[in-house]
Amino acid sequence: MSQPKPLTPTADARPPFFVGVDLGATAIVAGLFDDAGCPLARSILAERPDHRSEGAADQTARAVAEALRKAGLEPSAIARLGVSAPASREDGPAIAAGVNRRCGLPVTFADSIDAAAYGEFWIGAGRGFHSLVLLNLDTHIDCGIIVDRLSLDDQHRRGAECGHLLIDSLPTARLCCCGQRGHFNAYGSVTAVIERAREAVEAGRASLLRTNLDGGQPLSLELLREAADGGDPLALEIIAETARSVAVGITSLLHTVDPSGVLLAGPLTFGGSPTALGRRFLGWVREEIAHRAFPLLAERTVIDFAVLGEDARHTGAAGLARKHSLSDVA
């Protein structure tokens, strides 16, 4: 798990300043950044975002006020605010308008995954890239895309739905959560991996996982990871198959976007670079891409783990606010 970046004293920061707020599933997180992307303060409201736009705007304003208090800054020192929320939330413009009224500052609103991608691009693993793709491998696959240093903000908030890339066209392909067959989600998500493990054990495959299933304990990604760490052949086979599926999806993205790099985030990275299993998973992904992608892309495109973790979304919200602030000046 990534650690928050150390805070920079306000006296050492480089203005102008920007605040990013993420309306997460279980908390509201605000971060205050300077023009170089150095974090000056962060605040966390340990409460679920209000389902009402006005309530969410109130929560956002409180989180912003706390971050400013910690940094010893007045609202007038902030050039712009950024707010991120899940794509399922359709009231983004209303939240932005409410935050603007409460804070008296211009507001940029973004989907969570777009903000996360921009956070990695601004000060994370994609710093210095010209373009990138961020894949968040969770219960389903979220994707954020940066091209020519610009976040792809789609018209209907349904773009970059890379979890629905078609990677298996056979009639027997696995079902996606959307009801269609052969989509990336059906092979490269946590849900899909656990389902494949359960099917294999129920079909009689020998595995350390059988003890859990026979004991009435539901299979989980953590149990699969523990079995793989213990050398369980079935667990390792499923993880290797998953890596190949992830590589197939990435190859299609390389041939479509031609990014500087593709970054992987989420629980299906198996702990990322700090763990042996995470490094092994990434190695399998890279190996499969080398077999499938154009040689130039396979050789020159960075395939790696994201580094900002849970901080990516509010960081990217601040980064997008900064980008839009520069556009306002121009």
Side-chain angles (χ1 to χ4, degrees), residues 12 15 37 44 77 147-148 164 167 169 205 227 229 237 267 323:
D12 297 335
I44 301 175
V147 173
D148 194 21
H164 299 283
I167 66 171
S169 62
R205 293 286 302 276
D229 286 337
E237 177 185 315
K323 180 175 77 71

Side-chain angles (χ1 to χ4, degrees), residues 117 131-135 143-146 162 253 257 259-264:
S131 56
L132 70 78
V133 173
L134 173 69
L135 288 175
C143 181
I145 300 176
I146 310 292
C162 298
L253 291 167
V257 180
S260 303
V262 177
L263 304 178
L264 304 180

Side-chain angles (χ1 to χ4, degrees), residues 164 173-183 186:
H164 299 283
R174 301 186 68 88
L175 278 172
C176 177
C177 56
C178 71
Q180 298 292 329
R181 291 189 180 275
H183 290 186

Side-chain angles (χ1 to χ4, degrees), residues 27-28 36 68 78 84 100-101 108 114 117 143 150 177 179 183 206 210 248 295 305 330:
I28 295 91
L68 289 174
I78 307 303
S84 74
N100 173 263
R101 289 194 299 272
T108 293
D114 294 333
C143 181
L150 297 176
C177 56
H183 290 186
R210 176 165 294 283
V248 170
F305 294 117

Side-chain angles (χ1 to χ4, degrees), residues 75-222:
S76 58
I78 307 303
R80 194 175 183 97
L81 301 177
V83 179
S84 74
S88 59
R89 189 140 196 171
E90 302 288 351
D91 57 349
I95 295 175
V99 174
N100 173 263
R101 289 194 299 272
R102 287 160 177 78
C103 298
L105 293 166
V107 179
T108 293
F109 187 86
D111 291 343
S112 298
I113 188 62
D114 294 333
Y118 202 85
E120 293 288 347
F121 177 78
W122 186 30
I123 63 169
R127 191 167 196 166
F129 286 4
H130 182 270
S131 56
L132 70 78
V133 173
L134 173 69
L135 288 175
N136 188 55
L137 307 176
D138 208 320
T139 52
H140 60 278
I141 298 171
D142 285 326
C143 181
I145 300 176
I146 310 292
V147 173
D148 194 21
R149 300 180 176 86
L150 297 176
S151 175
L152 293 187
D153 300 322
D154 47 289
Q155 182 173 353
H156 303 111
R157 301 185 71 197
R158 290 298 180 268
E161 288 283 2
C162 298
H164 299 283
L165 284 173
L166 186 65
I167 66 171
D168 186 347
S169 62
L170 294 176
T172 55
R174 301 186 68 88
L175 278 172
C176 177
C177 56
C178 71
Q180 298 292 329
R181 291 189 180 275
H183 290 186
F184 197 178
N185 280 322
Y187 296 86
S189 68
V190 172
T191 306
V193 171
I194 298 306
E195 181 66 12
R196 290 208 312 278
R198 183 188 62 77
E199 290 174 358
V201 174
E202 290 180 347
R205 293 286 302 276
S207 173
L208 296 172
L209 298 170
R210 176 165 294 283
T211 302
N212 305 107
L213 201 61
D214 289 346
Q217 186 176 5
L219 294 184
S220 65
L221 191 65
E222 184 57 34

